[in-house]
Amino acid sequence: MAKKIRVLVVDDSALVRQILTQGLNNDPDIEVVGSAPDPYVARDKIVELTPDVLTLDVEMPRMDGVEFLRKLMPQFPMPVVIVSSLAERGCKITLDALDAGAVDFVTKPSSNVMGGLSAMMGELCAKVKVAAKVDVSHWKGRTVVAPKARIASHALSVSTDKVIAIGASTGGTEALRKVLERLPADIPGIVIVQHMPPKFTKMFADRLNDVCAIDVKEAQNGDRIIKGLALVAPGDAHMTVIRSGGTYVVDCTPGEKVCGHCPSVEVMFNSVAKYVGANAVGVMLTGMGRDGADAMLNMRKAGARTMAQDEKSSVVFGMPKEAYERGGAEKLVSLDNIPEALIQLLNQKTP
């Protein structure tokens, strides 16, 4: 019999602790070994129970989840899944928690409708299983490291009418930041799908905008794809790229989930294959599942250049692996080397 994933639930609400414990224990692969109402009790129970994964509320009295993570991860790194509210403050703290080492997050349902609770528990169980396999040992003794220097603008030579399309999921918030903050201000236009709910995508885009030489914003219907601008798909809509006269623009439209997601990388990459073709460069970053893998192959068949993040630097080697094994990604590249590899592909003519 396979060993169950041992989980510690941390939440200041006794009712939430009960709901999460029951929901997680209903999964045959998961066992909740304990719960804690705050980080102080959690700290002692981590030492006592040695759980495999922590589920953590971010908004708690005495010490919030982010402060706890900043203390925990450098001393006792372990996979953490955040359980967050959709309130604006909850969105901000959740993004802070991802920066502090959390693997992923789920959002609490906005109402007590059983369907919403059931969907949330299904998502939490899936993300706990993924988190249990993530190696977070690099957080041990970690200190804040200054970002590497941006690539000089003169590194670009052939970039007219190019479009860069990037897909990401679990671990993608940190990976996208590491890539985008090193790109020059005159990089060709970028379109991004990062699996995230509404509200989170705008706040995430605003954060990237603060640290990057390029402009970053949450996409709106009709936005033009222009040099020096990255457009992040909104959390409740599929983003597609279309040709409008001599320019590329994005269409953001709510729809059914594709490959389990809305926005979906598959939808965006397929539109890039159709309308941008050989003028595109595709990048698949860390993420769970296969979203975008088949569409990246369509991009490559249309003449686009492509790459995917390698296993060692990925938080979850799911989407990049699928893209590479299905022939969509030409090569696997470490996260640190993706900005330079991107510039190289932009400067190469299509094969």
Side-chain angles (χ1 to χ4, degrees), residues 278-351:
N279 281 335
V281 175
V283 182
M284 188 74 85
L285 297 177
T286 173
M288 174 174 62
R290 58 174 183 82
D291 187 23
D294 290 332
M296 180 170 261
L297 178 57
N298 291 336
M299 284 179 62
R300 193 174 178 190
K301 288 177 178 177
R305 305 304 305 271
T306 60
M307 72 182 82
Q309 188 174 348
D310 70 0
E311 182 173 9
K312 186 175 181 181
S313 66
S314 293
V315 172
V316 180
F317 191 53
M319 287 160 51
K321 179 183 179 184
E322 291 289 338
Y324 183 69
E325 290 186 347
R326 296 179 191 211
E330 297 176 43
K331 57 184 178 180
L332 297 173
V333 182
S334 72
L335 182 61
D336 283 344
N337 293 332
I338 284 177
E340 289 88 349
L342 191 52
I343 297 296
Q344 289 175 6
L345 289 188
L346 287 168
N347 286 331
Q348 289 175 10
K349 294 181 179 179
T350 56

Side-chain angles (χ1 to χ4, degrees), residues 148-156 179 181-187 213 336-344:
K148 293 183 179 180
R150 297 183 179 110
I151 297 172
S153 296
H154 57 73
L156 286 166
V179 171
E181 70 183 2
R182 292 179 56 202
L183 297 178
D186 60 350
I187 196 80
D336 283 344
N337 293 332
I338 284 177
E340 289 88 349
L342 191 52
I343 297 296
Q344 289 175 6

